[in-house]
Amino acid sequence: MGLAARIAASTLLLVPAAAAQAQGAPARYNLQTPVTGLAEQIHDMHTLMLVICLVIFVGVFGVMFWAVIHHRRSRGAVAANFHENTTVEIAWTVIPVLILLGMAWPATKTVIAMKDTSEADLTIKATGYQWKWGYDYLQGEGEGIRLLSSLSTPREQIEGGAAKGENYLLEVDNPVVVPVGKKVRMLLTANDVIHSWWVPAFGVKQDAIPGFIRDGWFRADKEGVYRGNCAELCGRDHAFMPIEVHVVSAEKYAAWVAEHREKAAGAAADEAREWSMAELMTRGEQVFGTICAACHQANGKGLPPTFPPLDGSQVVLGDKAGQIDIVLHGRPNTAMAPFGGALSDADVAAVITYTRNSWGNHTGEAVQPAEVKAGRNKS
Amino acid sequence: MSETLERYFVPEPSRFPIFGSVALLLFGAGAALWVNQVKAGPWIFFLGIAILIYMLFGWFGQVVRESQGGKYGTRVDASFRWSMGWFIFSEVMFFAAFFGALFYVRVLTVPALSSGENEALLWQGYSGAWPNAGPRALDTAAVEPFTPMGAWGIPAINTLILLTSGATLTWAHYGLLKDKRGQLKLGLLLTILLGAIFLGFQAYEYVHAYGELNLRLDTGIYGSTFFMLTGFHGLHVTVGAIMLTVMLCRAVAGHFNSQHHFGFEAAAWYWHFVDVVWLILFVVVYWL
Amino acid sequence: MAAVIPDPLDHHHHHAPSGLMRWLTTTNHKDIGTMYLIFSFVMFLSGGVMALTIRAELFQPGLQVVQPEFFNQLTTMHGLVMVFGAIMPAFVGFANWQIPLMIGASDMAFARMNNWSFWLLPPAAILLLGSFFVPGGATAAGWTLYAPLSVQMGMGMDFAIFAIHIMGLSSIMGAINIVVTILNMRAPGMAMMKMPLFCWTWLITAYLLIAVMPVLAGAVTMILTDRHFGTSFFNAAGGGDPVMYQHIFWFFGHPEVYIMILPAFGIVSQIIPAFARKPLFGYASMVYATASIAILSFVVWAHHMFATGMPAVGQLYFMYATMLIAVPTGVKVFNWVATMWRGSLSFEPPMLWATGFIFVFTIGGFTGLICAIAPIDIQIHDTYYVVAHFHYVLVAGSLFALFAGAYYWLPKWTGHMPSDRLGKLHFWCSLVFFNVTFFPMHFLGLAGMPRRIPDYALQFTDFNALATIGAFGFGLSQLIFLAVVVKCARGGKPAAAKPWDGAEGLEWTVPSPAPYHTFEEAPLVK
Ligand code: HEA
Ligand code: HEA
Ligand code: CUA
Ligand SMILES: [Cu+2]
């Protein structure tokens, strides 16, 4: 009876698993369908390990349950009195060692392959921010492109006010785009705390450590959209900083790069000129919404005591240079990270202007990109 | 057969532990509030310390009375020996965490930060020559340069002082073993004095570091490891000196005899342990 | 043979305090053991309530029950409370009750300090749980308290740091007490290699505790100074390194997980032979296996850090070393099975729990091995696969063994037999609901659900719902245990001095309930 219950309990869970696997349903019970050679190797290795472990498991517990059923006192079993047998003991030490060696061999090869980041076609630096990703195309086609990529699922879906979309929590405003079949080297770093860049279909997970550069690589074999998450607890919105990678054909990639170049050129021209108050406010509201509102909240009230309000803040109402300094360089040891790297001069100018003239703040002062530039150079 | 084993002394119920627990609750809560600039913090903290001191006095006082009362046989004595050994082992592991941190940054972190892509993309120009205060100190406008602590001034003298104190302590122990009470007391007194001089020099060195060398706790990783290691060591010297002072008082009061004096030996073991930590410290913190 | 003073009235403590003062001032290992056990059960319930809140939030996608910041606080505190509040003190409680009884000692070596070790825990718990109510709430950096996130936290983090210091102090004193008791207070004839395995596993565990708790204290102290005194241990700009924190933490943390499982192995090794009515198959190899696990546990820590980007040699070394631990652990599993083989088995509650332990713990061991394969770990690190792994070893491992031990020794502690029927019900409910809760988490992890998130993508919905249902069932099942213990303490079938016919050891030579003072004259062990 006891045994039956136990078997029922475990098979109940395994049957649907096996069934779904047979139908080839995507990634419900197993690792996601791999699209890189490395992910493929990992997938197969996992299957191998699972089988080995299952075989040992069935063997060991076959013996145990045989004893449980047949060597019961209620069945009149009388205890034998054997113990210590050197041969048996050596066998059950040595055989597992051999099995482990068999497991370690393929794993070693994969580890070495994963670490080989040389001869990449494209190098992209990803920077983790609380709670979004910044990407810099450092080398290869598209060099110089910069994007900031944050969750695009609307708040209402999360809070239950609206129906959840298909890619709920796995969608971003500016996805990373890479060409198919090219070796992409990812450099990882972070601005504030540790994050981790993870795309399961690529078999890449690499922590992004503030102050250090770490790397990993992938070569996607199939066009498509691949999604992942930040995989290291990084504070409040850790669940809300997904990664979305579009793998596209060489032509589409070239087109994407060209489009981006154009936009960037336009933006650069913008940086230099004098901005009107209205322009700054519009741009500032947008930057604030995507970057600052995560902590300071759209209504400027923050979430005290951790995240101070900007509405009525002495810093915001005080000297411009002081605020420029905080936004560019952050406050050490707090969540207020330096944003100078992620934002352009115009963005910083706009967001500061916006905070100084929103909610209950009415300084009437506009901050120009040139002032921000000066703030950057000062230290 | 069971008669061969002497009865093991089991103390009566005691109020001291619960005082100690209240003390540490206040200590912990007070410290946590204090570091967050809550006004009541230091008061609670010092109240905790006061209760702790009361508890330690009472508790150790009782242990001394029990010991003098002959309640501890050889088995209890053996327990004390084992426990002191294991306690010192735990202290070794505590220091190991900080020494480990020092080795880790010197062997791995600083070289990594000052080379390859870390240097090229994040910390341009950081050379990593030890001692340094980390890459942010490159910006000399924001971070004033510091002078590292030399090894051959006060630290070297302090090394000699501690080594000498180890010798005077052993000399005192011989006195005790040979029932020369004068030698015991003088040896202890000298050891404590040497410990005090050591601490005095150490304090002077800190003042010098803050005042003239611009070397502070927040001077990057060099300042962090320097002050945390020497600071915890200094704290241990202080505790050791207090232990020895208690032993001196007990010696004056006529406690200990040539067979029965584990209290003294425990303090001595501790002192030698603190000595050894200093030697390692002198080599890896000051010298290399 | 046993020198027992059956009179519970103490003859040389003329004014033994009563009421609350008895418990505050006691130096009796049985009193202290009882307090440890009650404390840990209370902490288990509070950690469990946090777990249920976590599960309730994860029942459906979207945010319904708690806000993300509070969710992270719950996860963090659940981990800390269960590890430091529930599992570790529970094993210390067993050690307090059983070790003196098993080796024929009159009490622990340092009875007064023993009291302090226990009474340090409530203050630590007050600091830890109280931190929920300080501005900014409890720390939300995960039970691993990784820098620099923990450096960013509010005041609750400082409370957690000091709580950890106090718990560390308690553990170190408790461990020293246990080591010294075992080394110095065995009855004549009780050679080391004759000691019950529970004592052996605790000796080795205590050694691990003394070695690693100070390291944890060092790690959190560095966090404290980084937070408030401007040091740069974990800050690259000052020349420090966040990954260094992880190395120091896991140098503590990995041995810590064996601290939570070795005494469990000890308990199970007592119970299996008793109910198989057959001696343990390989006593000596069990001792050596325990020691090997302890030694290996110091050299494998970075298997928690495969995703930090260690060089290939580092990954390979830590992978191989970790895999090796499967060998001594396997030796244990095989030994238990061989002990059962051709025994005369009966399945009273202790044996049910012990058998369940072997079965489910081994699943957790195998998933651990799969985590140890570095490339696979890259995929499953920080996902629910890891959550599944460690609940299999911690809940089905440590916790199940604790229940096994409780059912086994309750007759000795209370003088009454625990209810057989309720004990079996407790077991079967727990086993089923445990698997319903945690088995689906393997699938979630493989398919890509990260851990420590309050909200998830839609494809994870049904397994999360299932896990939540299981968790509530599992939680309710634990109330059965509460009922069993209360009933057993109040009354019930009186227990004989040796209620289990196959059991062996000195603890069964004293009456049930064990008198207040036992073995004041040491027994002689042949
Ligand atoms: C009681 C606690 C406990 C125990 C006993 C274990 C046991 C093991 N653990 Fe586990 N582990 C944890 C608690 C525990 N773990 C916790 C709490 C975490 C997460 C911490 C956090 O991040 O919050 C963790 C995480 C963790 C990781 C990191 C995962 C990640 O974050 O990415 C790894 C990786 O190697 C790992 C490996 C192992 C291994 C190899 C064992 C081995 O000891 C298992 C050995 C047992 C067996 C293998 C089964 C029996 C053997 C046989 C039947 C013999 C034959 C077998 C073969 C030859 C294959 N564990
Ligand atoms: C040490 C032991 C231990 C134990 C025993 C448990 C027990 C449980 N754990 Fe725990 N868990 C950890 C250690 C432990 N856990 C650790 C170390 C972490 C990692 C933390 C981190 O990431 O930092 C973790 C993380 C963790 C997570 C992941 C959280 C996240 O990543 O965000 C989850 C999610 O399901 C979970 C669930 C549970 C459940 C359902 C139980 C159940 O077994 C609990 C059952 C008990 C009860 C439910 C209480 C008893 C009953 C009552 C009080 C009566 C009331 C009950 C009802 C009305 C139903 N745990
Ligand atoms: Cu970023 Cu988690
Ligand atoms: Cu581990």
Side-chain angles (χ1 to χ4, degrees):
Chain A
M1 149 65 212
L3 178 70
R6 196 170 304 179
I7 291 174
S10 30
T11 41
L12 259 178
L13 286 154
L14 285 171
V15 166
Q21 202 61 26
Q23 292 160 14
R28 291 285 316 275
Y29 303 95
N30 202 342
L31 293 166
Q32 294 184 12
T33 319
V35 293
T36 65
L38 284 177
E40 184 87 45
Q41 285 180 29
I42 295 174
H43 187 279
D44 296 347
M45 204 184 316
H46 174 254
T47 311
L48 173 74
M49 301 300 158
L50 199 62
V51 170
I52 298 178
C53 289
L54 270 175
V55 169
I56 303 175
F57 191 80
V58 170
V60 173
F61 289 95
V63 175
M64 190 177 96
F65 282 115
W66 180 274
V68 167
I69 295 165
H70 296 279
H71 304 159
R72 273 180 189 255
R73 188 171 56 168
S74 54
R75 291 193 160 202
V78 181
N81 194 15
F82 61 85
H83 57 100
E84 318 257 333
N85 177 324
T86 316
T87 323
V88 174
E89 289 177 70
I90 289 180
W92 72 34
T93 312
V94 173
I95 294 172
V97 172
L98 297 178
I99 297 175
L100 291 174
L101 285 176
M103 292 175 153
W105 175 244
T108 305
K109 284 195 294 192
T110 309
V111 167
I112 291 168
M114 289 176 111
K115 286 286 166 186
D116 178 16
T117 55
S118 60
E119 290 169 38
D121 301 307
L122 197 63
T123 304
I124 303 176
K125 182 172 118 201
T127 308
Y129 298 93
Q130 276 170 324
W131 291 278
K132 63 191 97 16
W133 290 97
Y135 298 97
D136 278 282
Y137 286 61
L138 286 188
Q139 170 259 310
E141 190 183 354
E143 191 174 319
I145 292 181
R146 310 183 80 185
L147 339 151
L148 210 54
S149 170
S150 46
L151 179 76
S152 61
T153 304
R155 209 67 212 171
E156 302 82 69
Q157 287 190 18
I158 296 171
E159 258 131 35
K164 297 184 178 22
E166 187 196 355
N167 294 313
Y168 179 66
L169 295 190
L170 291 175
E171 51 202 348
V172 301
D173 48 4
N174 296 308
V176 200
V177 180
V178 296
V180 70
K182 289 274 169 19
K183 183 166 184 176
V184 181
R185 176 167 180 239
M186 296 297 302
L187 299 184
L188 272 304
T189 185
N191 206 36
D192 30 48
V193 300
I194 303 176
H195 303 264
S196 192
W197 197 84
W198 178 35
V199 180
F202 297 170
V204 177
K205 181 185 286 146
Q206 174 58 57
D207 287 359
I209 297 157
F212 290 81
I213 300 271
R214 295 289 153 94
D215 65 356
W217 70 275
F218 63 89
R219 176 186 279 126
D221 297 330
K222 225 173 99 203
E223 290 177 40
V225 178
Y226 303 103
R227 299 168 195 277
N229 299 78
C230 173
E232 180 65 58
L233 178 61
C234 51
R236 184 164 56 87
D237 284 352
H238 162 58
F240 306 105
M241 56 181 291
I243 292 144
E244 183 177 332
V245 184
H246 290 201
V247 177
V248 298
S249 65
E251 303 80 65
K252 279 199 196 145
Y253 182 68
W256 179 78
V257 171
E259 183 195 336
H260 239 273
R261 284 268 154 73
E262 252 166 58
K263 261 201 252 160
D270 258 9
E271 296 286 279
R273 70 183 170 83
E274 185 93 349
W275 287 46
S276 78
M277 186 75 176
E279 276 177 313
L280 287 168
M281 287 297 284
T282 330
R283 173 83 164 265
E285 179 166 13
Q286 183 209 337
V287 174
F288 191 85
T290 50
I291 309 230
C292 321
C295 298
H296 296 293
Q297 305 298 302
N299 61 10
K301 298 266 185 269
L303 291 170
T306 323
F307 304 114
L310 298 187
D311 187 3
S313 148
Q314 287 314 306
V315 175
V316 178
L317 297 177
D319 174 34
K320 279 190 212 171
Q323 192 185 356
I324 294 176
D325 185 55
I326 285 191
V327 176
L328 287 177
H329 304 111
R331 281 244 179 95
N333 290 352
T334 69
M336 186 62 204
F339 288 96
L343 299 177
S344 67
D345 292 347
D347 286 337
V348 176
V351 77
I352 292 181
T353 308
Y354 175 74
T355 55
R356 296 183 146 246
N357 298 289
S358 300
W359 320 299
N361 298 348
H362 307 288
T363 57
E365 290 171 344
V367 174
Q368 291 298 331
E371 293 173 71
V372 176
K373 193 177 210 89
R376 275 188 208 272
N377 296 341
K378 213 166 54 201
S379 58
Chain B
M1 242 312 256
S2 58
E3 312 80 74
T4 58
L5 205 62
E6 71 187 44
R7 223 170 217 274
Y8 192 91
F9 172 74
V10 177
E12 296 173 9
S14 164
R15 283 178 303 121
F16 293 120
I18 196 71
F19 273 96
S21 298
V22 173
L24 285 193
L25 174 63
L26 296 173
F27 173 92
L33 293 172
W34 194 0
V35 291
N36 287 288
Q37 279 86 41
V38 176
K39 291 253 157 36
W43 296 98
I44 302 178
F45 176 84
F46 285 115
L47 180 62
I49 299 268
I51 300 178
L52 192 68
I53 290 173
Y54 162 78
M55 177 282 251
L56 289 170
F57 258 97
W59 190 329
F60 282 114
Q62 186 165 1
V63 170
V64 169
R65 277 191 301 280
E66 283 165 3
S67 173
Q68 290 303 107
K71 293 194 171 161
Y72 298 166
T74 49
R75 292 181 68 207
V76 177
D77 193 61
S79 286
F80 279 133
R81 282 165 198 278
W82 277 116
S83 65
M84 193 65 198
W86 285 101
F87 168 64
I88 290 176
F89 173 59
S90 80
E91 291 271 38
V92 169
M93 294 308 291
F94 181 75
F95 275 100
F98 289 92
F99 278 113
L102 176 64
F103 293 139
Y104 189 92
V105 292
R106 286 190 60 176
V107 176
L108 295 168
T109 301
V110 168
L113 283 174
S114 56
S115 64
E117 277 161 336
N118 288 325
E119 194 264 351
L121 295 176
L122 299 174
W123 309 111
Q124 290 91 343
Y126 178 50
S127 77
W130 190 263
N132 69 71
R136 77 169 165 231
L138 287 180
D139 179 1
T140 43
V143 182
E144 281 176 47
F146 71 97
T147 318
M149 189 61 73
W152 299 111
I154 291 175
I157 299 173
N158 262 345
T159 309
L160 285 180
I161 291 177
L162 274 195
L163 286 175
T164 316
S165 79
T168 54
L169 188 58
T170 307
W171 185 65
H173 194 189
Y174 277 127
L176 178 52
L177 289 175
K178 288 190 237 133
D179 261 332
K180 294 188 187 155
R181 304 292 296 188
Q183 183 178 334
L184 165 67
K185 287 174 217 165
L186 183 61
L188 269 173
L189 185 67
L190 284 175
T191 314
I192 296 165
L193 283 178
L194 286 168
I197 297 172
F198 173 92
L199 286 173
F201 273 135
Q202 187 89 344
Y204 171 79
E205 185 186 87
Y206 277 14
V207 172
H208 177 62
Y210 267 76
E212 282 131 57
L213 302 182
N214 192 31
L215 171 57
R216 295 184 311 263
L217 189 56
D218 59 7
T219 306
I221 191 65
Y222 178 72
S224 309
T225 49
F226 175 83
F227 282 104
M228 292 295 275
L229 275 162
T230 54
F232 272 118
H233 177 265
L235 197 69
H236 281 71
V237 175
T238 312
V239 171
I242 293 173
M243 283 162 75
L244 290 176
T245 310
V246 173
M247 297 309 145
L248 178 59
C249 297
R250 289 185 64 187
V252 170
H255 296 190
F256 305 132
N257 59 47
S258 55
Q259 271 85 48
H260 210 79
H261 54 259
F262 183 67
F264 174 89
E265 276 182 80
W269 288 1
Y270 192 82
W271 191 257
H272 291 310
F273 151 72
V274 173
D275 244 7
V276 172
V277 171
W278 174 263
L279 290 181
I280 305 173
L281 211 98
F282 178 68
V283 175
V284 300
V285 175
Y286 290 96
W287 186 1
L288 294 180
Chain C
M1 153 191 168
V4 168
I5 292 102
D7 178 10
L9 281 178
D10 195 354
H11 52 107
H12 46 263
H13 307 158
H14 302 290
H15 39 261
S18 57
L20 179 63
M21 279 316 273
R22 162 180 168 193
W23 298 101
L24 288 179
T25 62
T26 182
T27 48
N28 181 285
H29 71 102
K30 302 185 183 82
D31 282 354
I32 294 171
T34 306
M35 292 194 295
Y36 263 111
L37 291 172
I38 294 174
F39 172 83
S40 64
F41 193 69
V42 171
M43 294 306 274
F44 171 67
L45 294 187
S46 19
V49 169
M50 296 175 204
L52 291 183
T53 319
I54 292 172
R55 287 302 341 157
E57 175 56 54
L58 292 174
F59 185 56
Q60 290 289 299
L63 296 177
Q64 295 92 11
V65 184
V66 292
Q67 285 302 305
E69 183 69 11
F70 186 59
F71 181 92
N72 292 347
Q73 297 178 20
L74 285 173
T75 298
T76 305
M77 296 296 275
H78 164 69
L80 287 172
V81 165
M82 285 297 194
V83 168
F84 293 105
I87 303 291
M88 291 171 66
F91 282 123
V92 183
F94 274 77
N96 261 292
W97 254 102
Q98 292 309 129
I99 288 176
L101 283 178
M102 287 176 141
I103 63 172
S106 55
D107 206 302
M108 297 293 282
F110 301 102
R112 215 164 13 208
M113 187 170 87
N114 200 17
N115 173 302
W116 201 27
S117 301
F118 170 75
W119 278 108
L120 280 177
L121 290 178
I126 292 172
L127 289 182
L128 197 59
L129 295 176
S131 73
F132 270 121
F133 305 101
V134 302
T139 169
W143 84 283
T144 48
L145 305 176
Y146 275 10
L149 186 59
S150 53
V151 175
Q152 250 186 25
M153 289 289 136
M155 195 193 279
M157 183 69 208
D158 300 306
F159 279 84
I161 289 174
F162 289 108
I164 289 174
H165 278 138
I166 296 177
M167 288 187 287
L169 197 62
S170 156
S171 290
I172 292 169
M173 291 195 300
I176 291 179
N177 220 331
I178 290 169
V179 173
V180 175
T181 306
I182 294 177
L183 292 178
N184 195 33
M185 300 198 45
R186 279 165 294 131
M190 177 66 81
M192 290 295 275
M193 288 308 271
K194 276 194 191 166
M195 266 192 330
L197 261 175
F198 180 68
C199 302
W200 258 114
T201 54
W202 243 117
L203 176 65
I204 291 167
T205 303
Y207 158 72
L208 288 180
L209 274 170
I210 301 171
V212 300
M213 289 310 289
V215 176
L216 175 66
V220 295
T221 305
M222 289 183 227
I223 297 238
L224 183 77
T225 58
D226 267 19
R227 285 168 59 77
H228 296 291
F229 304 106
T231 57
S232 303
F233 288 106
F234 310 127
N235 176 358
D241 189 344
V243 177
M244 177 167 85
Y245 174 79
Q246 301 182 18
H247 281 288
I248 304 177
F249 179 85
W250 289 115
F251 184 83
F252 147 81
H254 189 79
E256 167 70 14
V257 307
Y258 293 106
I259 288 169
M260 291 187 282
I261 203 69
L262 293 182
F265 290 166
I267 292 176
V268 170
S269 304
Q270 299 297 128
I271 292 174
I272 299 282
F275 293 87
R277 299 170 178 81
K278 186 165 157 278
L280 195 64
F281 179 80
Y283 175 88
S285 63
M286 280 297 223
V287 172
Y288 299 141
T290 312
S292 317
I293 294 175
I295 292 164
L296 281 174
S297 76
F298 283 110
V299 294
V300 301
W301 72 88
H303 63 218
H304 296 273
M305 301 164 56
F306 285 138
T308 55
M310 273 182 283
V313 276
Q315 290 203 349
L316 290 175
Y317 161 73
F318 283 107
M319 174 172 86
Y320 300 149
T322 305
M323 292 171 78
L324 261 188
I325 297 194
V327 176
T329 317
V331 167
K332 289 186 161 281
V333 173
F334 299 141
N335 258 304
W336 291 320
V337 173
T339 307
M340 290 166 79
W341 187 251
R342 291 188 48 215
S344 170
L345 301 169
S346 62
F347 290 90
E348 287 88 346
M351 184 61 170
L352 270 184
W353 283 100
T355 314
F357 164 91
I358 303 177
F359 184 71
V360 201
F361 167 79
T362 305
I363 299 181
F366 281 130
T367 57
L369 194 65
I370 287 173
C371 290
I373 312 287
I376 303 182
D377 187 63
I378 294 290
Q379 285 286 39
I380 58 188
H381 170 68
D382 257 320
T383 69
Y384 264 77
Y385 193 90
V386 176
V387 177
H389 156 63
F390 67 71
H391 284 92
Y392 265 79
V393 284
L394 279 170
V395 178
S398 314
L399 187 65
F400 276 26
L402 284 164
F403 286 136
Y407 283 104
Y408 187 53
W409 283 307
L410 264 172
K412 184 58 53 191
W413 300 339
T414 63
H416 306 292
M417 297 304 285
S419 160
D420 203 55
R421 203 172 44 82
L422 286 181
K424 285 181 176 162
L425 183 71
H426 177 208
F427 171 73
W428 285 111
C429 287
S430 297
L431 185 74
V432 169
F433 283 121
F434 169 78
N435 282 293
V436 174
T437 313
F438 295 105
F439 203 79
M441 291 186 188
H442 293 112
F443 300 137
L444 288 174
L446 287 173
M449 177 170 162
R451 62 192 280 206
R452 298 167 168 170
I453 55 172
D455 192 6
Y456 48 83
L458 299 179
Q459 70 264 36
F460 306 123
T461 308
D462 40 7
F463 282 140
N464 269 300
L466 188 61
T468 299
I469 294 168
F472 277 81
F474 186 81
L476 282 179
S477 314
Q478 304 323 308
L479 297 179
I480 307 176
F481 179 70
L482 189 62
V484 172
V485 174
V486 171
K487 274 181 65 173
C488 186
R490 289 250 181 101
K493 199 173 126 220
K498 185 171 143 184
W500 317 112
D501 60 313
E504 279 187 45
L506 285 177
E507 77 261 41
W508 308 112
T509 63
V510 304
S512 299
Y516 201 60
H517 293 285
T518 37
F519 299 129
E520 289 195 295
E521 300 300 335
L524 177 65
V525 182
K526 291 169 293 242

